[in-house]
């Protein structure tokens, strides 16, 4: 199995993708074992993409602890004669914003290239940053009819267009993307995977959703892996 990096990178250049895609060449298809290998190869690509992205980010100051942050905000409000009470909406907005800053700080503070990390953990909710951790023994596949995903207003289409950050890709662009990825839509072998076996899913499990599909085209002898996991 080989990651087709140039073809995958070209997708991100041509389309505004908020889901994650990886294309792989697999001439020796071995059923579910190949699907599992494709899912892990997807994480390897994403792990490298996170590292390359982090190298472009300037260092960020270390976020203050949340209780200290709330106290400072209370003092500021007192000094300006404003209400010193935070609403629940403000509380959760500030807490989520601070968590994103903490994740960003953790991601860029030690930018050392690292492979994905294999563990025997049963939960990854405490890991939100690079490198990606996984426990392959917790991977659970489920056969699926991916042809249904090409129908109008399918779950896949809804997921593509209703991410927290709205894509600028048009409906025509979405159809063109899928024609490029899946020229033989009636011959696909697809599996969906659970979202509790890797830290890749941690942010999505927290709020928006976390998904992974491995789709094999026996005519083209290639996999397309689609992942989704984000919190904002």
């Amino acid at each position: 199995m080989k990651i087709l990096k140039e073809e995958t990178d070209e997708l991100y250049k041509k389309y505004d993708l908020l889901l994650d895609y990886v294309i792989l060449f697999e001439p020796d298809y071995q059923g579910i074992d190949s699907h599992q290998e494709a899912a892990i190869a997807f994480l390897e690509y994403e792990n490298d993409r996170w590292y390359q992205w982090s190298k472009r980010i300037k260092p960020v100051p270390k976020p203050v602890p949340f209780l200290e942050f709330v106290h400072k905000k209370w003092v500021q409000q007192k000094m300006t004669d404003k209400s010193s009470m935070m609403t629940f909406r403000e509380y959760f907005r500030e807490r989520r914003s601070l968590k994103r800053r903490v994740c960003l700080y953790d991601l860029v503070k030690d930018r050392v290239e690292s492979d994905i990390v294999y563990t025997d953990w049963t939960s990854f909710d405490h890991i939100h940053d690079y490198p990606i951790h996984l426990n392959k023994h917790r991977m659970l596949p489920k056969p699926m009819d991916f042809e249904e995903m090409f129908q109008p207003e399918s779950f896949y289409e809804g997921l593509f267009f209703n991410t927290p950050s709205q894509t600028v890709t048009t409906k025509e662009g979405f159809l063109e993307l899928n024609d490029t990825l899946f020229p033989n839509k009636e011959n696909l072998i697809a599996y969906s995977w659970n979202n509790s076996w890797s830290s890749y899913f941690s942010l999505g499990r927290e709020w928006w959703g976390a998904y992974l599909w491995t789709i094999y085209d026996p005519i083209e002898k290639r996999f397309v892996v689609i992942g989704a996991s984000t919190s904002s």
Side-chain angles (χ1 to χ4, degrees):
M1 184 176 296
K2 177 185 177 182
I3 295 177
L4 300 179
K5 190 174 186 306
E6 290 186 8
E7 290 86 339
T8 301
D9 290 346
E10 187 61 31
L11 290 179
Y12 288 94
K13 294 176 183 177
K14 186 173 182 180
Y15 302 98
D16 178 37
L17 300 178
L18 300 179
L19 303 185
D20 300 322
Y21 291 80
V22 173
I23 306 172
L24 306 106
F25 179 62
E26 176 54 282
D28 185 26
Y29 179 69
Q30 299 294 320
I32 191 61
D33 290 340
S34 293
H35 282 267
Q36 184 182 54
E37 185 180 351
I40 294 174
F42 167 86
L43 294 189
E44 291 173 346
Y45 178 86
E46 286 300 304
N47 191 68
D48 181 67
R49 199 157 70 97
W50 284 16
Y51 172 68
Q52 299 301 330
W53 172 76
S54 72
K55 290 197 302 184
R56 299 194 297 268
I57 300 176
K58 296 179 180 180
V60 297
K62 184 176 182 179
V64 299
F66 184 65
L67 290 179
E68 181 180 342
F69 170 80
V70 172
H71 176 70
K72 286 185 176 181
K73 187 173 182 67
W74 178 82
V75 172
Q76 291 172 352
Q77 291 174 333
K78 277 295 210 180
M79 294 178 65
T80 56
D81 294 327
K82 294 182 178 180
S83 170
S84 59
M85 298 294 292
M86 292 180 69
T87 66
F88 278 111
R89 183 185 295 272
E90 290 175 326
Y91 174 84
F92 286 111
R93 184 181 65 237
E94 297 293 353
R95 184 177 181 180
R96 190 164 62 217
S97 175
L98 182 62
K99 179 172 284 191
R100 287 198 297 266
R101 295 199 297 274
V102 170
C103 290
L104 183 60
Y105 172 78
D106 289 339
L107 180 65
V108 303
K109 67 177 180 180
D110 298 312
R111 285 176 272 199
V112 178
E113 189 168 7
S114 174
D115 295 332
I116 57 176
V117 179
Y118 290 84
T119 80
D120 59 358
W121 295 346
T122 59
S123 174
F124 297 87
D125 291 342
H126 61 295
I127 302 291
H128 296 87
D129 52 17
Y130 167 92
I132 294 175
H133 292 62
L134 69 92
N135 180 349
K136 65 183 298 184
H137 301 295
R138 292 185 61 80
M139 297 176 70
L140 298 174
K142 181 179 180 181
M144 63 180 299
D145 182 2
F146 205 78
E147 290 181 45
E148 296 181 358
M149 292 295 193
F150 300 120
Q151 301 302 314
E153 300 182 1
S154 68
F155 178 77
Y156 170 43
E157 180 178 326
L159 198 66
F160 186 92
F161 286 107
N162 296 317
T163 52
S165 301
Q166 294 296 312
T167 180
V168 298
T169 300
T170 63
K171 179 66 176 293
E172 291 73 20
F174 174 70
L175 296 175
E176 178 187 284
L177 168 67
N178 288 306
D179 286 340
T180 300
L181 294 174
F182 308 108
N184 309 296
K185 296 181 176 60
E186 296 181 356
N187 298 285
L188 302 175
I189 305 169
Y191 285 84
S192 63
W193 295 84
N194 61 316
N195 62 16
S196 59
W197 56 276
S198 172
S199 61
Y200 167 81
F201 304 108
S202 295
L203 289 175
R205 280 166 52 87
E206 189 176 83
W207 180 46
W208 176 67
Y211 310 93
L212 185 70
W213 302 311
T214 53
I215 308 102
Y216 185 69
D217 184 335
I219 296 178
E220 299 292 324
K221 297 187 183 303
R222 72 178 188 181
F223 273 99
V224 174
V225 185
I226 306 175
S229 182
T230 185
S231 66
S232 60

